Amino acid sequence: MKKRLFAPIIAFVALCLVALTACGGPSAEDMIREDLTTQFEEVKAGSDDLMDGIEEGAGEDFATLGVDPRAFAESFLEGFDYEIGDITVEDATATANVSITVKSMGDIMNEFQLQYTDYISNLSELPSQEDLYHKAGEMLIDATATVEPKTTDCTFTYTQDDEGEWSADESAETELLNALMS
């Protein structure tokens, strides 16, 4: 009698273990999606760490133009969004398709150049260098505010290390740069 009860219990426990193992950890797709979501949500929210990094990276360049780096970043990131699409995993490599909506730095610079050229060509006398820089800063902020965000499709490649951790390849920087300059 004990053997008859014992066998179904063992089978049930074995079935539970198989089911739990299948549900055990997050899938590679889930880990990659979580990583992308974490990174892009930080940008979307304009986190303090991101803004501090932009301020540090701007150095004296924005100060010369009389531009607050944080104000520039907030204007630049206005309308930022992303959508994570398909994630394909093959062995220890994965690709994640992401649509990024952001203002194009190329479009901003084109708009700035048009405004600045128009301004310079209509001057009757040349202002001081400092005044020229500050006017350029005003125009840069204006150009950034007027440019509309556009969507660029990116493909991020991830690799899995020996410990099973997934991380974006160096090509991620190129994909982001392409999206920002598109």
Side-chain angles (χ1 to χ4, degrees):
M1 175 89 162
K2 281 186 177 179
K3 283 187 177 181
R4 275 195 218 164
L5 285 176
F6 192 70
I9 290 173
I10 292 294
F12 177 74
V13 169
L15 184 60
C16 287
L17 286 175
V18 169
L20 288 175
T21 302
C23 299
S27 68
E29 291 90 347
D30 290 342
M31 288 188 281
I32 292 167
R33 187 173 304 279
E34 182 179 332
D35 180 61
L36 288 165
T37 299
T38 300
Q39 299 301 322
F40 286 124
E41 282 299 318
E42 184 174 314
V43 173
K44 192 172 182 176
S47 74
D48 286 337
D49 287 343
L50 175 69
M51 293 301 181
D52 291 346
I54 290 171
E55 284 180 304
E56 283 178 29
E60 293 299 312
D61 295 335
F62 278 166
T64 300
L65 296 173
V67 172
D68 175 13
R70 190 172 287 261
F72 172 81
E74 288 170 355
S75 179
F76 179 72
L77 294 174
E78 185 178 322
F80 175 86
D81 206 357
Y82 67 97
E83 182 178 334
I84 302 170
D86 293 335
I87 298 173
T88 306
V89 178
E90 291 184 29
D91 301 321
T93 304
T95 56
N97 297 316
V98 181
S99 295
I100 300 173
T101 302
V102 67
K103 293 180 179 183
S104 163
M105 188 56 75
D107 290 350
I108 291 169
M109 294 313 295
N110 286 339
E111 178 64 27
F112 165 76
Q113 186 176 10
L114 289 171
Q115 287 183 25
Y116 195 71
T117 301
D118 186 51
Y119 169 72
I120 293 294
S121 65
N122 289 315
L123 286 176
S124 56
E125 66 180 64
L126 196 59
S128 71
Q129 186 174 8
E130 184 178 336
D131 288 343
L132 280 174
Y133 280 134
H134 283 200
K135 187 65 174 175
E138 290 173 22
M139 290 179 191
L140 179 61
I141 291 295
D142 181 58
T144 304
T146 59
V147 166
E148 292 295 321
K150 60 184 179 182
T151 302
T152 304
D153 293 327
C154 301
T155 301
F156 295 97
T157 303
Y158 277 74
T159 54
Q160 185 181 37
D161 65 17
D162 294 338
E163 284 84 42
E165 297 293 319
W166 289 90
S167 58
D169 286 354
E170 293 175 12
S171 64
E173 290 179 24
T174 302
E175 286 292 316
L176 285 173
L177 186 58
N178 289 339
L180 294 175
M181 296 304 292
S182 65

